[in-house]
Amino acid sequence: MGSSSPPPPVEPLRGAVRALAAASAVLGAVVVARGVSSVLTMRKWRRELIVVEGKRKGLPAPGPPPSLFVGNTPALAGAYYRTLYAHIEEPVSVFYVHSTPFVVVNEVSAVKTVLSGSGGAFIKPRYFGYRSTAVRAAVDADNALSSAMADDGTPVGGGGDTSRRSLLRLIDGAMPDITAALAELFASWPTRPPPSGADAVAAAAPAYRDGEDAQAAVLSTIVALNMRLLFGVGPGTPTANAVASTAARRISFAGAEFARRMVDPKRVWVAPLAGARYVAAVVGLVRLGRSLVAAVERLPADHWVAAWVGTVRPVAKLGKVIGLLMASSQTVPLTIVWLLHLLDTHPAVRARLAAEADAVLGAGAARRSPTAADLDRLPYTEAVVKETLRLYPPFPLIQRVATDEAVLGGVAIPAGTPVFVLPYLLHRNAAHFSAPHTYDPDRWLGAGRRVAGGAPSEWAYAPFGRGPRACAGAALALAELKIAAVTAVTAGRFEVEWAGGRPPGVFPPLGVVPAGARVFRAAGGGV
Ligand code: HEM
C-alpha cells in the first residue's frame, strides 16, 4: 500500500513558501520605508513649526507631543474637542494627524489674519479629505475669483450688492414655504403621554423608526425645502420627498465619514465597509448634483443660485452645486435640533421667545406667519439663534492652507501648512466670552453687543466664518433658524430625549452633531 502512494509535493510547497517570504520582505520594506519617511516628515515639521517670539524661541510650537507614526491621532479620534481644548490658551497650537500637522488658531488677531485675506497668504485647500475633480475645480475657480477681488469682506462669487439683493428677494418669497415646512415637521413629532415613568417613552417611541433620530427628520425636511428654494426642484411631491430623504441620508453619512477621515485618513484601510458606503454616498450625491446642475441652468439669470454658481467650467459647476447642497443641508438641521434642546432645558428663554412672538405676530388664534420684515423686529429671537450657533456651531472646521511663510500668534508657519479655525473652540474660549459654556441669549442684546456678543472682537464669533470666503447663504440660514424658533414656540412645547439618557456634555461628538436626540411634543402643549 505504502509503495504505491505518490511522493509528497515538496517542490511546489517550497516554491509557495519562498514566494510568501519574498512578499513579506517586500511588505516589510514598504512598512519600514513608510515608517522612516513618517518619522522624517514629522521631524521636519517639528523643526519648522517653531515659536519665534517670546521666551521659548526656537522650541516646537505648543500642542501635545506627537507620538512616532501616529502623531496625536489616537487622542483626536477618541476625544477631538477635549484634545484641542486642552491647548486653547495658546494663541496657536499644533496637532499631528499621523505625521501631518494642522495648526489651530485660537487668538483673535491671528483668526483675522487667516480669514480676512482674499487672495493672500491663506486660501481654501483643494482637498477636503476626499479627492474629487469637481470639488477641486470649484475650489480653484473660487480661489481665483477671490484673489481677483478687493479685500472688502464681500462674500466670494456673490457679485456684491446684486447678490445680497437677490438673496433677500429669495428669502422674501420663501417665507411661507419655510414656515409651512417647519410647522408640518414639528406637528409630525409624536406626543409624549403624561409622565408615568418608563412606559411613557415606550408608548411614544414607535413613532420613530429604528435608528432614526430627530436629526434625520429635520434633515429630510430641510433638504426638500432647499431643493425647492435653491434649485426649483419638486413642489413637495412624493417623488421629490423620496429623493430628498435619500439625499439627506447620503449627506449625513458622507458628512460624518468625512469628519472621521479628517481625524484619521488611514481609516480608509481599517474600515473598508464604511469606505464602500462612503463611496456609494458620494457617487449618489454626484448623480443628484448632475440633475441639480441641469436645474440651475433652467433658473432665471437673476436668481441668487444662478448668480452664485456663475459662468464656470461644467466640472466646476458640478462641484459648486454639490458644495451648495452640502453647505445648506448639513448645517441648519443640526442647529434646529440643538435649538429645541436648548429651549427644552431653558424654560425662561422659551417663555421670553414666546412672549416676543406673541407681541410681534399676534397671540393665540390671531397668530400670523412671519414676513421677512418681521424677522428684523424679533431681537430676542435673533439673540436666541446667535447664542445657539455660538454654543453649537454646526460647521465645525474652517480650513485654510498657508500659501507662503507666515508668523501667526508668535509661531512660524511654513508655506503649505494646513491652518484651521474651529468656531467651537473660539466660541467656548473664556478669553473671548464670559461663562463660555452658559447659554445666555442676553449677551447679544444691547447696543454694540449685537455684533460680538460681549466678545472683545467680532472675529471671536464665526459660526459662518468671516471675511471674503464667509458663508454665502448666511442670511437664508438665519432666516430659516429664526422661523424655526418662532414656529417651535407656536407649535407648543417640545422635549428632547437623548440616547443614553443624557445630552452631550461640554464636548459634543465630532462634527458638533446632536447624535441620538429625539424630539417629543409635550403633553398638554403650552409654553
Ligand atoms: C446655520 C447654518 C450655516 C452655517 C453655520 C454655515 C457656515 C458656513 C461656514 C463656516 C462656511 C465656510 C466659510 C469659510 O471657509 O471661511 C460656509 C460656506 C458656505 N456656505 Fe454656509 N452655513 C450655513 C448655512 C448655509 C446655507 C443655508 C447656504 C445656502 C443657501 C450656505 C451656503 C454656503 C456656501 C455656498 C459656502 C461656500 C462659500 C465660499 O466658498 O466662498 N450655507 N458656511
Side-chain angles (χ1 to χ4, degrees), residues 40-268:
L40 294 179
T41 308
M42 195 187 288
R43 270 178 57 114
K44 176 177 167 295
W45 281 111
R46 296 267 285 165
R47 269 207 309 269
E48 290 185 354
L49 274 161
I50 51 167
V51 178
V52 292
E53 286 167 6
K55 287 192 209 108
R56 294 176 300 174
K57 190 171 173 175
L59 290 179
S67 307
L68 278 186
F69 309 119
V70 291
N72 308 114
T73 310
L76 289 166
Y80 193 67
Y81 294 109
R82 192 181 294 280
T83 307
L84 300 181
Y85 203 81
H87 299 269
I88 200 173
E89 281 166 15
E90 301 287 355
V92 158
S93 43
V94 177
F95 302 82
Y96 285 81
V97 171
H98 299 283
S99 54
T100 308
F102 64 90
V103 170
V104 172
V105 179
N106 296 314
E107 190 192 54
V108 171
S109 64
V111 171
K112 187 171 176 189
T113 306
V114 172
L115 297 186
S116 65
S118 56
F122 297 93
I123 58 166
K124 286 207 180 188
R126 298 165 101 198
Y127 299 120
F128 298 85
Y130 50 85
R131 303 203 163 235
S132 146
T133 320
V135 170
R136 197 184 62 204
V139 172
D140 280 349
D142 284 340
N143 279 343
L145 196 60
S146 74
S147 46
M149 63 188 233
D151 187 6
D152 64 354
T154 313
V156 70
D161 270 354
T162 322
S163 162
R164 256 191 295 275
R165 273 201 304 275
S166 65
L167 184 56
L168 292 180
R169 211 170 41 239
L170 188 153
I171 294 169
D172 220 4
M175 293 292 297
D177 195 358
I178 301 173
T179 311
L182 289 170
E184 193 184 319
L185 169 74
F186 294 162
S188 75
W189 275 323
T191 302
R192 192 199 280 283
S196 62
D199 293 351
V201 176
Y208 286 95
R209 282 200 307 272
D210 201 22
E212 187 180 70
D213 55 12
Q215 220 190 126
V218 189
L219 201 85
S220 281
T221 298
I222 298 291
V223 171
L225 184 66
N226 285 342
M227 301 234 283
R228 292 197 293 278
L229 303 185
L230 301 177
F231 303 104
V233 172
T237 57
T239 330
N241 289 345
V243 170
S245 70
T246 308
R249 266 202 313 280
R250 289 180 175 148
I251 288 169
S252 157
F253 179 79
E257 180 60 21
F258 162 58
R260 286 183 217 113
R261 284 178 180 213
M262 295 241 346
V263 175
D264 186 3
K266 295 202 165 41
R267 182 180 151 76
V268 177

Side-chain angles (χ1 to χ4, degrees), residues 129-461:
Y130 50 85
R131 303 203 163 235
S132 146
T133 320
V135 170
R136 197 184 62 204
V139 172
D140 280 349
D142 284 340
N143 279 343
L145 196 60
S146 74
S147 46
M149 63 188 233
D151 187 6
D152 64 354
T154 313
V156 70
D161 270 354
T162 322
S163 162
R164 256 191 295 275
R165 273 201 304 275
S166 65
L167 184 56
L168 292 180
R169 211 170 41 239
L170 188 153
I171 294 169
D172 220 4
M175 293 292 297
D177 195 358
I178 301 173
T179 311
L182 289 170
E184 193 184 319
L185 169 74
F186 294 162
S188 75
W189 275 323
T191 302
R192 192 199 280 283
S196 62
D199 293 351
V201 176
Y208 286 95
R209 282 200 307 272
D210 201 22
E212 187 180 70
D213 55 12
Q215 220 190 126
V218 189
L219 201 85
S220 281
T221 298
I222 298 291
V223 171
L225 184 66
N226 285 342
M227 301 234 283
R228 292 197 293 278
L229 303 185
L230 301 177
F231 303 104
V233 172
T237 57
T239 330
N241 289 345
V243 170
S245 70
T246 308
R249 266 202 313 280
R250 289 180 175 148
I251 288 169
S252 157
F253 179 79
E257 180 60 21
F258 162 58
R260 286 183 217 113
R261 284 178 180 213
M262 295 241 346
V263 175
D264 186 3
K266 295 202 165 41
R267 182 180 151 76
V268 177
W269 305 110
V270 290
L273 272 183
R277 217 180 134 198
Y278 181 69
V279 170
V282 171
V283 168
L285 288 172
V286 168
R287 205 175 306 128
L288 175 63
R290 290 213 176 91
S291 71
L292 294 180
V293 167
V296 171
E297 254 131 44
R298 291 194 294 271
L299 292 173
D302 65 345
H303 189 285
W304 176 71
V305 172
W308 185 80
V309 171
T311 45
V312 290
R313 289 189 298 140
V315 64
K317 204 171 259 189
L318 178 64
K320 288 193 81 162
V321 164
I322 294 174
L324 184 58
L325 180 71
M326 301 289 282
S328 59
S329 307
Q330 277 183 298
T331 44
V332 173
L334 307 189
T335 313
I336 291 178
V337 180
W338 288 119
L339 173 70
L340 293 174
H341 160 63
L342 289 166
L343 295 182
D344 180 27
T345 47
H346 297 77
V349 171
R350 196 179 54 221
R352 276 176 72 185
L353 191 65
E356 184 177 77
D358 285 353
V360 175
L361 304 170
R367 175 74 116 235
R368 59 182 175 77
S369 288
T371 62
D374 288 329
L375 296 184
D376 293 331
R377 299 163 57 220
L378 295 164
Y380 191 70
T381 309
E382 181 168 311
V384 162
V385 166
K386 281 183 165 171
E387 184 65 349
T388 304
L389 288 166
R390 186 185 70 80
L391 278 189
Y392 298 110
F395 197 110
L397 189 65
I398 301 175
Q399 299 172 297
R400 295 290 186 270
V401 63
T403 52
D404 221 333
E405 285 173 21
V407 175
L408 280 181
V411 171
I413 310 288
T417 313
V419 178
F420 292 0
V421 174
L422 283 101
Y424 185 85
L425 292 192
L426 278 185
H427 298 175
R428 301 272 187 152
N429 192 330
H432 307 150
F433 291 96
S434 59
H437 305 303
T438 304
Y439 185 62
D440 176 19
D442 277 316
R443 69 172 89 233
W444 294 98
L445 297 175
R449 309 190 81 205
R450 290 190 71 184
V451 177
S457 156
E458 63 184 282
W459 292 87
Y461 181 70

